[in-house]
Amino acid sequence: MKKTVFDKIWDDHVVKRIDSGPDVLYIDRHLVHEVTSPQAFAGLDRRGIKIARPRQTFATCDHNVPTLNQHLPIAEELSRIQVETLARNAKNHDIACFGLGNPKQGVVHVVGPELGITLPGMTIVCGDSHTSTHGAYGSIAFGIGTSEVEMVMASQCIMQPKPKRMLIEVNGEPGKTVTAKDMALYIISKLTAGGGTGYFVEFAGSAVRALSMEGRMTVCNMSIEMGARGGLIAPDEKTFEYFKGREYAPKGEEWDRAVARWKTLKTDEGAGFDKTCTFDAADIEPMITYGTNPGMGMKITGNVPEGRELMGNDKITFDKALQYMGFAPGQKLTGQPVQYVFLGSCTNGRIEDFRAFAGFVKGRRKHPGVVAWLVPGSGTVERQVRAEGLDRVLEEAGFELRQPGCSACLAMNEDKVPAGMYAVSTSNRNFEGRQGPGSRTLLAGPLVAAAAAVTGKITDPRSL
């Protein structure tokens, strides 16, 4: 029987199939952070049980951590309590925890791959929507709720209905300034924020294969923003090279056996998908969002849609989004002043993103009216930035490198965008108040963010 790579991994992990119900799925890696784990740990403690497979569970603090002065006590009380609770729970349950001060600390979806905790062919879960990021390495990875976090802790299994399969192919060669983030925003703008609901997506095509591993992570990270359960890319030589020598990756003969197994993780020719979408990379340009969900995206040189074809709730949502953002139908966004720029998150907080941003601002100066938060996704990324001298390039251009954390991706720490202010952000969600009550988020890639940071307005990077 012809199988997709998704089918191969899923079927290999089914412990039990329930008639007319979900599958009981074995989980290879459980990633934990401070926000969605306290209730799950408390549930285990009430039941008097420990984590079933502690060596397959890894914790880090990221959502609540400050991105400056991490050597000091956390000022926000709730954030401090959550970070301290995670450290205490990890110690009590004997699981690895990369807390503040640990050189491995960082955003959970950046830390997993760079340490080799994530590997091809695995099933990976975390109490976080953007667990789909790990699919870039040929794994089935998806976010789960707090009650499911407890289920996996207790049994190393989860009950899940098998999603339908969608194939998204992007072929051809994109323009020079088109990033993986632009590709993701372009796809979501075509399929809408609900176009992937009920599906698990395989990304394929020559333009996808040409992406770096960091770029693939960005695309898979954003798959959840079109409603999909997750996204993955079949592993290849680029994937294997990425993992070779990483701390938790196999070594010696185990490595050779693992690679031989990973090479079988590809979709069989003729395998069926429930839905297929094909895009031409040449049509992708630098992108930016204009509304309050990631599906409301457009080419940066375009105009805000008129929305005349929308009916019912769609029209209500469209009008409400434009009112919140302070935009009008048909408006051009280039030239729109912005007050904040954020580079970071599990979407664009990797070394490749900092190289792109630094390369663009080199020889230029940060606009005096812009507050810029440049936040590496992990301690490892921060050290790479400094080792490559990118921190000096950024400092000479008037920017400050901060410390690892989720930062302004969401308003759960000290990095909040004030009400009414516009932020060009390389994160993944532009919901109302996502970056702070009343904040206005414009999602974009690192080059569009860099262009905004030096001009103080939405700017097509190609114009510079």
Side-chain angles (χ1 to χ4, degrees):
M1 182 179 177
K2 307 290 186 182
K3 285 188 173 185
T4 67
V5 61
F6 170 76
D7 288 322
K8 291 178 180 180
I9 300 170
W10 184 281
D11 293 347
D12 280 349
H13 287 79
V14 173
V15 176
K16 182 179 181 181
R17 298 193 187 279
I18 300 173
D19 292 340
S20 302
D23 290 339
V24 178
L25 202 66
Y26 183 79
I27 300 302
D28 292 307
R29 292 286 189 268
H30 187 191
L31 307 177
V32 175
H33 61 81
E34 74 273 22
V35 177
T36 54
S37 64
Q39 302 92 330
F41 279 115
L44 295 186
D45 293 342
R46 281 194 302 270
R47 296 158 64 188
I49 60 176
K50 295 291 186 180
I51 289 178
R53 299 285 173 89
R55 299 287 78 82
Q56 292 167 233
T57 307
F58 297 83
T60 189
C61 53
D62 54 9
H63 285 58
N64 289 115
V65 302
T67 58
L68 288 176
N69 299 317
Q70 290 185 352
H71 63 290
L72 298 177
I74 298 174
E76 291 188 346
E77 184 180 13
L78 179 59
S79 295
R80 177 178 53 78
I81 290 171
Q82 288 193 304
V83 170
E84 291 175 350
T85 300
L86 177 65
R88 185 170 59 253
N89 283 326
K91 182 178 180 181
N92 290 343
H93 288 265
D94 191 27
I95 62 172
C97 181
F98 312 129
L100 283 184
N102 188 311
K104 301 172 189 176
Q105 179 268 333
V107 180
V108 64
H109 307 311
V110 177
V111 169
E114 70 185 10
L115 293 178
I117 294 169
T118 301
L119 291 171
M122 284 185 168
T123 50
I124 301 170
V125 297
C126 175
D128 186 273
S129 302
H130 296 98
T131 309
S132 55
T133 310
H134 305 264
Y137 297 94
S139 63
I140 290 180
F142 52 90
I144 58 176
T146 297
S147 60
E148 292 173 314
V149 170
E150 183 179 347
M151 182 190 303
V152 177
M153 286 179 172
S155 67
Q156 206 59 36
C157 293
I158 193 170
M159 297 173 69
Q160 286 286 297
K162 189 176 183 180
K164 293 181 289 185
R165 296 150 301 179
M166 179 189 291
L167 175 66
I168 294 179
E169 286 190 306
V170 186
N171 292 302
E173 189 171 343
K176 185 178 179 181
T177 57
V178 171
T179 67
K181 182 64 162 293
D182 298 311
M183 181 185 292
L185 289 174
Y186 173 85
I187 292 170
I188 300 168
S189 75
K190 296 297 183 182
L191 298 182
T192 77
T197 302
Y199 293 92
F200 209 100
V201 178
E202 179 181 348
F203 294 98
S206 60
V208 172
R209 290 194 299 273
L211 292 172
S212 65
M213 293 312 304
E214 290 89 349
R216 294 180 187 188
M217 289 174 75
T218 297
V219 170
C220 289
N221 173 279
M222 294 294 290
S223 63
I224 189 71
E225 302 308 336
M226 59 182 177
R229 194 70 181 95
L232 61 76
I233 297 169
D236 56 13
E237 292 298 329
K238 199 178 291 186
T239 316
F240 311 148
E241 185 61 31
Y242 176 91
F243 282 120
K244 194 169 186 179
R246 296 196 181 259
E247 181 175 349
Y248 288 92
K251 307 290 190 303
E253 292 182 2
E254 285 188 18
W255 169 260
D256 295 334
R257 288 194 294 270
V259 171
R261 185 172 67 254
W262 296 341
K263 286 181 177 180
T264 68
L265 297 177
K266 54 187 176 182
T267 293
D268 298 330
E269 188 173 348
F273 289 87
D274 299 290
K275 185 176 182 178
T276 299
C277 301
T278 303
F279 300 103
D280 183 355
D283 188 47
I284 306 174
E285 296 181 18
M287 297 284 292
I288 197 160
T289 59
Y290 60 86
T292 54
N293 72 60
M296 303 176 86
M298 62 184 230
K299 296 178 180 180
I300 197 167
T301 54
N303 298 66
V304 174
E306 296 285 350
R308 294 194 185 97
E309 76 285 359
L310 299 175
M311 304 284 288
N313 289 336
D314 290 340
K315 184 69 166 73
I316 294 171
T317 299
F318 176 80
D319 291 343
K320 185 171 180 285
L322 292 197
Q323 181 180 17
Y324 181 85
M325 294 298 294
F327 297 147
Q331 177 181 343
K332 290 192 76 69
L333 293 189
T334 48
Q336 166 69 42
V338 300
Q339 295 78 37
Y340 284 77
V341 168
F342 171 51
L343 174 71
S345 82
C346 58
T347 314
N348 285 117
R350 290 171 281 275
I351 187 62
E352 178 180 278
D353 304 304
F354 279 83
R355 289 170 181 157
F357 192 100
F360 192 93
V361 304
K362 187 176 183 179
R364 298 185 169 99
R365 291 289 299 175
K366 182 181 76 66
H367 189 278
V370 169
V371 175
W373 291 323
L374 311 185
V375 185
S378 69
T380 299
V381 174
E382 181 185 0
R383 290 189 293 276
Q384 284 181 283
V385 168
R386 297 189 186 281
E388 295 180 17
L390 301 181
D391 59 325
R392 295 189 295 276
V393 172
L394 295 170
E395 287 170 9
E396 288 170 5
F399 296 93
E400 177 187 32
L401 182 68
R402 297 171 81 93
Q403 293 174 291
C406 290
S407 183
C409 177
L410 74 174
M412 296 184 71
N413 51 69
E414 297 173 8
D415 300 345
K416 296 180 177 70
V417 176
M421 299 291 102
Y422 288 98
V424 174
S425 177
T426 64
S427 52
N428 41 57
R429 286 182 170 164
N430 53 342
F431 304 154
E432 292 186 19
R434 171 75 176 184
Q435 294 188 292
S439 60
R440 294 164 164 174
T441 302
L442 302 134
L443 298 178
L447 294 182
V448 172
V454 297
T455 62
K457 57 190 176 181
I458 297 174
T459 303
D460 182 352
R462 295 169 296 186
S463 69
L464 300 179

